[in-house]
Amino acid sequence: MQIDQAEQTEKELVKNQSVEIVLSEDQIRGYLVVEPEHAPKDPYLSEEIVSMKKKVESGRVGLFIIRFEGKVVSVGRADIFTYNIIDWLPHNAKFAQLDDAFTQERYRGLGLHKKIVEARVRWAEEKGLKWAETTVSEHNIPSILGKLRSGFFLISPEEYRLIRFLDEGLIKKFQVNKDEEQMVSIEDYEQRGKLHAEGWVGTDMMYKGTKEGEEQNQDIANWQIIMNPLLK
């Protein structure tokens, strides 16, 4: 019981930690080694830190971390791009690609990833970028659901590409038509592809099965994507 209480207290403390924008070499080191299987190995670590610091200082890359007791427990990255493959969006417009999000397993479910996402979106807004874009694995139901419920739209049936408009002009131009709605299985790529081609986007998800808790996230077949057309 004491162990459970100590763990609960620790998680409450972690939940209250703020996002840091990475600037120093110490912060970059923490960012790079938080995910052990992907961390660069010495003697290349110092080299990687110097390279990453130059990218951050250029202003085209933003790195974000959450630390607890000096250790990095959650990270995220944002890069500025201008190459856009979405034909109905402005070409050569600057946008933020959100990548490399990771939270240590012990601290998942505490809202840290959401904090990292919002910090990256604010960074992109401050730089005057037109939208934020990311891709998510189809099996990562919590991440897809979380992004849909924080202003992102699902715009691709295969890559699970999601976009959130930041520019006021685009927000006004691409409004969701709530009067039309379809629910499509997350595994029905053909129907989703047809709707995406006609200008529909995923706006939310609903679970249609009987499993509860973590089992729902593994039960891909019973997740439905709620889709609405954009008013262009």
Side-chain angles (χ1 to χ4, degrees):
M1 182 65 180
Q2 289 181 342
I3 295 176
D4 291 342
Q5 184 61 44
E7 183 177 331
Q8 184 62 33
T9 299
E10 176 188 1
K11 289 185 176 181
E12 286 298 322
L13 291 171
V14 172
K15 284 171 65 175
N16 293 324
Q17 301 305 301
S18 300
V19 178
E20 301 174 42
I21 299 178
V22 171
L23 297 171
S24 71
E25 291 188 4
D26 176 62
Q27 289 173 315
I28 293 173
R29 177 182 293 273
Y31 172 90
L32 291 172
V33 302
V34 68
E35 193 173 1
E37 61 268 33
H38 295 146
K41 308 300 182 194
D42 285 324
Y44 303 105
L45 182 56
S46 295
E47 200 175 295
E48 183 73 7
I49 288 173
V50 172
S51 174
M52 188 66 78
K53 193 167 190 292
K54 288 180 180 179
K55 293 177 182 178
V56 170
E57 289 174 343
S58 75
R60 296 191 63 82
V61 173
L63 304 179
F64 305 83
I65 60 175
I66 296 176
R67 288 195 278 195
F68 177 65
E69 295 185 341
K71 295 182 179 180
V72 175
V73 297
S74 187
V75 302
R77 171 174 175 161
D79 292 76
I80 298 177
F81 286 104
T82 55
Y83 178 68
N84 168 38
I85 61 173
I86 306 170
D87 57 10
W88 47 271
L89 286 174
H91 292 283
N92 299 318
K94 290 184 178 181
F95 65 95
Q97 178 69 38
L98 312 185
D99 285 317
D100 293 348
F102 178 81
T103 299
Q104 289 186 1
E105 186 172 357
R106 178 180 178 85
Y107 302 114
R108 291 174 187 170
L110 302 179
L112 303 186
H113 177 67
K114 183 177 181 179
K115 283 187 177 183
I116 292 283
V117 169
E118 291 304 318
R120 290 184 290 176
V121 167
R122 286 194 299 273
W123 177 86
E125 288 175 327
E126 289 169 0
K127 290 186 173 293
L129 306 185
K130 299 296 185 180
W131 65 86
E133 185 176 318
T134 190
T135 54
V136 179
S137 163
E138 68 174 309
H139 299 292
N140 194 345
I141 297 296
S143 184
I144 299 173
L145 188 60
K147 287 183 174 63
L148 288 174
R149 293 182 178 177
S150 62
F152 283 81
F153 298 133
L154 182 63
I155 62 171
S156 169
E158 298 168 355
E159 296 179 293
Y160 289 86
R161 177 175 293 169
L162 296 109
I163 187 172
R164 177 168 159 179
F165 298 121
L166 307 178
D167 176 74
E168 285 297 328
L170 293 179
I171 292 172
K172 291 178 181 178
K173 182 177 181 180
F174 296 107
Q175 303 258 340
V176 171
N177 182 0
K178 293 293 187 179
D179 293 331
E180 293 186 63
E181 180 178 292
Q182 287 196 35
M183 292 183 62
V184 185
S185 168
I186 196 170
E187 294 189 316
D188 191 344
Y189 302 104
E190 183 177 355
Q191 179 61 16
R192 286 174 48 217
K194 289 179 181 178
L195 290 173
H196 282 305
E198 294 171 3
W200 290 59
V201 295
T203 57
D204 203 349
M205 294 176 69
M206 181 176 293
Y207 184 70
K208 304 291 284 187
T210 57
K211 296 179 181 178
E212 297 181 358
E214 186 61 30
E215 287 186 333
Q216 290 184 354
N217 298 334
Q218 312 303 324
D219 188 20
I220 305 295
N222 276 310
W223 278 99
Q224 305 281 313
I225 296 178
I226 299 172
M227 301 189 67
N228 304 86
L230 288 178
L231 297 169
K232 300 179 185 178

